[in-house]
Amino acid sequence: MPLDAQAPDSGRRALLEAWGVVKNFPGVKALQDMHLELRHGEVLALVGENGAGKSTLMKLLTGVYSPDEGQFLLHGEPLEVSGPRQALERGISIIHQEFNLVPDLTIAQNIFLGREPRYGGLLLREGELNARAQELIDSLQLPLDPRQVVGTLSVARQQMVEIAKALSFDAKVLIMDEPTAALNDAEVRVLHELIRRFVRPDTGVIYISHRLEELKAIADRITVIRDGRYIETLDTPTTTVQDVISRMVGRELAGDARPENVRDDRHVMLSVRGMSTKALLEDVGFDLMEGEILGFAGLMGAGRTEVARALVGADKMASGSVTLRGRPVHIASPADAAKHRIGYLSEDRKQLGLLVEQAVESNIGLSALQELFQTLGFVKDRAVRETAERYVGDLAIKTPSVALTTKNLSGGNQQKVVIAKWLVKDCDVLIFDEPTRGIDVGAKEEIYQLLNELARRGKSIIMISSELPEVLRLSHRVVVMSEGRVTGVLSAAEAGEENVMHLATMRFIGDR
Amino acid sequence: MTTPSVTEQGQAGQPRPSLVPARLRKRLQQFLAFGGLIVVFAFFSIASPNFFNYGNVTSILLATVVIGTLALGTTFVIISGGIDLSVGTGMALCAVMAGTFITNLGMPVPLGVLLTVLFGGLIGLVNGLNVALLKVPPFIATLAMMLAAGGLALVISDSTPIYFSDTPGYVEISIGSIIPGADFPNSVLILAAIAIIAGVLLSRTILGRFAFSIGSNEEATALSGIKVRQWKIIIYTLAGLFTGIAGVMISSRLGSAQPGTGLGYELQAIAAVVIGGTSLSGGKGSIVGTLIGALIISVLNNGLQIMSIPQEWQNVILGCVIVLAVYADMARQRTA
């Protein structure tokens, strides 16, 4: 129940407030005039698309960043925290999507890590430690044994440990980032029960979730943010999921640059059927046409990158088949994929896409080295250089020399180097995973034009992006995924932010 | 190879582009090691009158052969991001195999030498399979091979040296001289020849290119469609071939295969590689650097010996030199 505005204690300030908070990063306005109000005794849901600013806001609250402008108020008093530790001391606990637990330690050791009861500051009091943990566990009515090793627990129970740990700091504000992403429905219910037990008149919870359906069950109010701005706070009882979605996506599209549908007479280049992996994917199937940009939309963890990795053999497929140019192919490794002229441009350019310490020409020549640039094992250096120089010209890669170490290039130009690598290999299928991540606005436009140009030249492109406007702008068709499954394939004409978002938030785990 | 001069950096948004192009920096690294060698050499020439003469320089070169040969193979492994601890005892095992083939089985010398070198390749192949297919960390895989090879050398030889007294031609491989009139040991020429081969392999072939790529970023290389496992196996096998050559060189120089020796050579080889500017984390390095590193070690050993500094202190000084060399290299990279 939301606290009534006319309640007797309404005179006092809200538990936690944010006013006019601004945070800029080089080239990115992460937050502009952000507002937030968490009342005493409520669960406030915070929703927004990927990149709306939720994680920046959390990092400001826990002191990882400090705001450029504006301020936070805790109990009406200015809140300034210089780091997570200090945030904890002020009573703000955050539970991240990725747990911060040490798997080899016990539950009790994890909860009091760094704060272990000691004799004379040195000798650990293991008995006292377990007793205190037990006390905490009992007060939360958790089904846990403090002596159990955390690594042996299920995800749901590890989350309980995280919550117990957070509350052991006497938290007043508990922030939970996607707490139900890895839970089944029964576990979600247990979690919600736990949250309700925690909420007392002097505490509050900020609950970040993509799962709009479950907000009805747990949240008192829902704050929607978009593009780094506060949009609106809705009272849950009088709000529908559709209301929330329309506020989440309510931005105007950049121009009318919508792609046309691919002509029907094009051939199918690649088709995937029944692709499943042990970890996540479940019966994924789609067709990729010649000269098409096929967008993959979905929320974090929907399985888009996993599809790409399984397709190029970087991860193992548990089942499923791939047909390329009408023939069944077996792709067991990225080397096989390259042989079949499928190139994968990873979302993690620096770790997985480039040899950042090597020259631009070495990167451009890498994939095709064995095929094009050698005789009897000897590298044809001049051919590599000439090819690299040609592509530097073609793709307008800004570098003074192809011999320059790649790490000295800007993000956009590094991305073009990766694209050049696969073009040299003469790939017909290019899989772009987050092609514009970490690239500034102007360079993004160039990458978009390059993608369009490649499609016009007949390349088949899979484009995975968490930025919905980008997907809608470039894709001839859009595949939407949720929880490891394809929940819909939309043509350019059909695809809009609202219906994509609706398909992207479908839940499977535990039900149907 | 030209070194393009960078007078102007591209557009704004490029984060701190280096003013020194990659190629020039690679040279600089070798200058640094080379400069170190000159300094050490000049120091001993001044400090001792017995240092700089034909006989002593020749014996320095001769002393470089075994470490140098092992270091060549180790260079490839380290550039690809791995490590090989098995080259020392592997070399002893190969020497024992040469004795077995030539003395015990009576094979002709050329055949015996060929089989010994191939046997070295087999040791490397096993390392490569363990690392690439079984995914055993290189340190562990080659540590295991170090122990196994050292043990096998003793088992096969029954812990006694095997002499090559019946085949005088075998000894000639190392200490004979094919240059008429000059007293210049063949083994130095052999080291020069295999160093050139190694240099070409590293800088001119896809093998070398992929060694750098794998050491630079193994995952990105794999995702670029390179068969990383296959190339790793080849790289360890290559290091094994050099181990085999070193086994021939050391046993022909001594006139016998000494099964109990070998341990410690692998660390000297790694030291030579590291002094030569090859990064232990992979992706950087050169054959020229490794040769200079091996020369620095043998010049130090020789010079300190001539100055009558006890063996124990020589190791202390070598230890200091390694730290100094690596520190200087890191400092150079920070400023570059």
Side-chain angles (χ1 to χ4, degrees):
Chain A
M1 271 280 106
L3 272 193
D4 193 4
Q6 274 76 50
D9 60 347
S10 67
R12 64 175 173 158
R13 301 296 298 254
L15 178 54
L16 181 73
E17 296 159 75
W19 292 100
V21 172
V22 174
K23 181 68 191 173
N24 292 319
F25 296 108
V28 186
K29 287 181 177 170
L31 292 181
Q32 307 168 64
D33 197 19
M34 180 54 66
H35 171 67
L36 191 76
E37 187 195 67
L38 174 67
R39 294 177 185 161
H40 290 89
E42 81 167 344
V43 176
L44 177 72
L46 183 66
V47 300
E49 283 186 281
N50 299 332
K54 290 170 300 190
S55 47
T56 307
L57 188 58
M58 292 310 109
K59 283 177 177 159
L60 289 170
L61 270 172
T62 52
V64 178
Y65 305 142
S66 53
D68 296 342
E69 287 172 40
Q71 66 173 341
F72 292 100
L73 302 176
L74 184 68
H75 304 300
E77 286 171 23
L79 171 75
E80 275 176 40
V81 288
S82 59
R85 185 87 207 184
Q86 212 191 345
L88 284 172
E89 282 161 9
R90 299 293 304 269
I92 300 175
S93 273
I94 182 160
I95 297 171
H96 295 276
Q97 206 171 342
E98 305 291 330
F99 300 150
N100 289 314
L101 295 172
V102 184
D104 293 326
L105 295 183
T106 65
I107 291 174
Q109 286 164 346
N110 264 289
I111 290 175
F112 293 106
L113 191 63
R115 302 174 293 149
E116 296 85 353
R118 278 170 262 198
Y119 294 111
L122 196 65
L123 211 55
L124 290 172
R125 302 169 65 180
E126 203 69 26
E128 170 79 10
L129 178 80
N130 287 327
R132 279 204 215 169
Q134 188 68 58
E135 207 176 300
L136 185 67
I137 287 168
D138 290 344
S139 74
L140 294 167
Q141 302 166 34
L142 298 175
L144 299 174
D145 173 0
R147 288 172 186 79
Q148 216 176 342
V149 174
V150 161
T152 62
L153 302 174
S154 69
V155 174
R157 296 202 163 189
Q158 291 191 16
Q159 187 170 51
M160 291 175 186
V161 177
E162 277 279 13
I163 293 172
K165 183 178 173 183
L167 301 188
S168 73
F169 285 91
D170 196 22
K172 295 295 177 223
V173 179
L174 183 62
I175 302 168
M176 308 184 82
D177 189 4
E178 293 285 344
T180 57
L183 304 187
N184 66 33
D185 277 8
E187 291 166 338
V188 168
R189 276 194 294 276
V190 173
L191 174 74
H192 286 175
E193 187 59 34
L194 186 56
I195 290 173
R196 280 186 210 102
R197 273 205 295 277
F198 165 72
V199 176
R200 290 181 300 267
D202 64 335
T203 60
V205 173
I206 297 178
Y207 188 97
I208 301 172
S209 182
H210 283 316
R211 309 292 169 208
L212 303 181
E213 285 85 356
E214 74 186 37
L215 299 185
K216 278 256 171 205
I218 187 69
D220 299 308
R221 297 185 305 149
I222 302 170
T223 291
V224 182
I225 65 174
R226 184 173 76 224
D227 297 337
R229 290 175 192 277
Y230 171 83
I231 300 301
E232 196 175 348
T233 298
L234 307 157
D235 282 325
T236 311
T238 56
T239 302
T240 66
V241 169
Q242 213 38 251
D243 293 338
V244 178
I245 290 181
S246 67
R247 283 164 180 80
M248 279 168 71
V249 300
R251 93 173 77 58
E252 301 103 278
L253 277 176
D256 54 352
R258 293 296 292 268
E260 297 158 18
N261 286 334
V262 256
R263 298 201 317 272
D264 291 340
D265 57 347
R266 300 265 178 132
H267 300 290
V268 174
M269 174 60 80
L270 175 87
S271 79
V272 171
R273 291 290 177 269
M275 177 194 273
S276 300
T277 61
K278 267 205 186 114
L280 181 65
L281 301 182
E282 188 78 45
D283 194 25
V284 170
F286 60 89
D287 288 331
L288 173 67
M289 317 296 282
E290 198 186 332
E292 176 184 46
I293 300 179
L294 184 65
F296 269 67
L299 301 164
M300 301 285 178
R304 297 162 300 160
T305 296
E306 286 77 4
V307 168
R309 287 185 60 94
L311 184 53
V312 299
D315 293 335
K316 219 171 138 76
M317 248 194 263
S319 62
S321 64
V322 179
T323 313
L324 187 68
R325 298 180 198 88
R327 291 208 196 102
V329 288
H330 178 68
I331 297 170
S333 69
D336 285 348
K339 197 178 71 195
H340 290 299
R341 311 247 174 264
I342 301 174
Y344 173 54
L345 292 86
S346 165
E347 59 184 329
D348 190 348
R349 210 161 37 237
K350 290 200 170 113
Q351 291 299 317
L352 303 177
L354 277 172
L355 312 175
V356 289
E357 297 286 344
Q358 306 279 333
V360 169
E361 58 183 346
S362 307
N363 274 292
I364 294 180
L366 182 62
S367 283
L369 197 63
Q370 207 166 351
E371 185 183 3
L372 294 180
F373 300 120
Q374 56 126 353
T375 1
L376 301 170
F378 287 88
V379 178
K380 296 193 257 183
D381 275 319
R382 192 192 294 173
V384 173
R385 166 152 304 185
E386 283 168 4
T387 306
E389 277 166 353
R390 188 152 49 81
Y391 278 92
V392 163
D394 269 10
L395 306 186
I397 301 173
K398 288 183 193 106
T399 174
S401 152
V402 291
L404 191 76
T405 308
T406 312
K407 68 176 170 195
N408 295 320
L409 266 53
S410 69
N413 285 303
Q414 288 183 359
Q415 183 66 288
K416 289 183 187 174
V417 169
V418 186
I419 295 173
K421 173 174 77 182
W422 291 114
L423 293 181
V424 173
K425 182 75 184 170
D426 197 22
C427 283
D428 302 319
V429 178
L430 293 168
I431 305 170
F432 289 85
D433 198 349
E434 304 289 352
T436 61
R437 175 172 292 176
I439 292 175
D440 61 49
V441 183
K444 272 186 185 178
E445 199 56 40
E446 279 189 67
I447 300 285
Y448 295 156
Q449 281 166 17
L450 195 53
L451 287 174
N452 280 328
E453 174 60 27
L454 291 173
R456 267 195 296 278
R457 286 195 221 160
K459 304 284 184 197
S460 301
I461 294 172
I462 289 175
M463 191 196 59
I464 299 165
S465 174
S466 295
E467 293 185 36
L468 199 42
E470 180 173 289
V471 174
L472 295 177
R473 187 183 148 174
L474 291 174
S475 310
H476 298 117
R477 289 184 306 143
V478 180
V479 175
V480 189
M481 291 187 69
S482 175
E483 301 187 347
R485 308 182 201 203
V486 173
T487 48
V489 180
L490 306 169
S491 69
E494 294 165 330
E497 302 214 12
E498 296 194 10
N499 50 8
V500 169
M501 191 55 73
H502 196 81
L503 289 168
T505 51
M506 280 174 74
R507 282 210 68 158
F508 294 101
I509 298 175
D511 48 46
R512 66 197 75 182
Chain B
M1 288 208 302
T2 56
T3 48
S5 67
V6 182
T7 50
E8 185 186 23
Q9 293 303 328
Q11 301 299 307
Q14 292 192 0
R16 287 197 309 115
S18 157
L19 287 173
V20 189
R23 266 156 225 276
L24 187 65
R25 256 192 288 160
K26 262 185 207 161
R27 296 238 168 121
L28 217 65
Q29 173 181 319
Q30 283 160 20
F31 288 147
L32 199 75
F34 191 65
L37 179 60
I38 300 286
V39 167
V40 176
F41 201 87
F43 171 78
F44 286 121
S45 302
I46 296 163
S48 168
N50 301 325
F51 181 78
F52 188 62
N53 58 59
Y54 183 78
N56 193 48
V57 171
T58 311
S59 69
I60 290 174
L61 291 175
L62 190 59
T64 313
V65 169
V66 170
I67 296 298
T69 305
L70 293 176
L72 290 177
T74 306
T75 306
F76 284 87
V77 174
I78 291 182
I79 285 175
S80 74
I83 191 88
D84 194 345
L85 299 176
S86 71
V87 299
T89 57
M91 173 182 76
L93 177 57
C94 288
V96 167
M97 291 315 291
T100 308
F101 292 139
I102 294 166
T103 302
N104 296 355
L105 299 177
M107 287 182 189
V109 170
L111 179 63
V113 168
L114 179 68
L115 287 179
T116 302
V117 173
L118 291 179
F119 188 84
L122 183 67
I123 296 175
L125 177 66
V126 173
N127 281 334
L129 292 173
N130 284 338
V131 170
L133 296 189
L134 301 187
K135 312 271 186 218
V136 180
F139 189 97
I140 308 295
T142 60
L143 178 72
M145 179 57 82
M146 175 178 108
L147 294 170
L152 276 178
L154 295 171
V155 170
I156 292 170
S157 65
D158 209 8
S159 301
T160 46
I162 306 173
Y163 293 93
F164 295 93
S165 16
D166 303 337
T167 47
Y170 187 71
V171 180
E172 289 294 304
I173 294 173
S174 244
I175 50 182
S177 175
I178 54 164
I179 304 174
D183 184 20
F184 196 75
N186 286 339
S187 57
V188 177
L189 298 178
I190 292 173
L191 174 64
I194 59 175
I196 289 169
I197 293 171
V200 170
L201 275 177
L202 187 63
S203 64
R204 291 268 166 267
T205 68
I206 52 172
L207 167 67
R209 223 44 72 87
F210 290 152
F212 279 108
S213 303
I214 293 168
S216 225
N217 189 337
E218 183 172 335
E219 228 173 336
T221 305
L223 284 174
S224 296
I226 312 303
K227 292 176 177 157
V228 167
R229 277 183 296 183
Q230 173 199 308
W231 288 105
K232 274 184 164 177
I233 294 170
I234 292 174
I235 287 164
Y236 279 94
T237 306
L238 181 69
L241 291 173
F242 281 104
T243 306
I245 295 172
V248 172
M249 305 297 255
I250 195 166
S251 57
S252 68
R253 192 176 87 205
L254 300 174
S256 64
Q258 301 287 341
T261 60
L263 206 60
Y265 278 86
E266 67 285 334
L267 298 181
Q268 297 234 10
I270 293 168
V273 172
V274 169
I275 292 173
T278 294
S279 159
L280 262 190
S281 51
K284 289 193 187 75
S286 70
I287 291 298
V288 178
T290 293
L291 282 182
I292 293 169
L295 277 171
I296 287 178
I297 292 177
S298 43
V299 166
L300 272 177
N301 283 339
N302 178 287
L304 294 170
Q305 212 152 8
I306 283 180
M307 289 176 69
S308 309
I309 290 171
Q311 172 74 43
E312 297 80 5
W313 281 104
Q314 293 178 25
N315 284 340
V316 174
I317 292 167
L318 184 59
C320 297
V321 167
I322 291 172
V323 171
L324 200 71
V326 174
Y327 176 75
D329 194 48
M330 279 161 41
R332 176 189 58 76
Q333 280 177 25
R334 267 198 300 274
T335 54

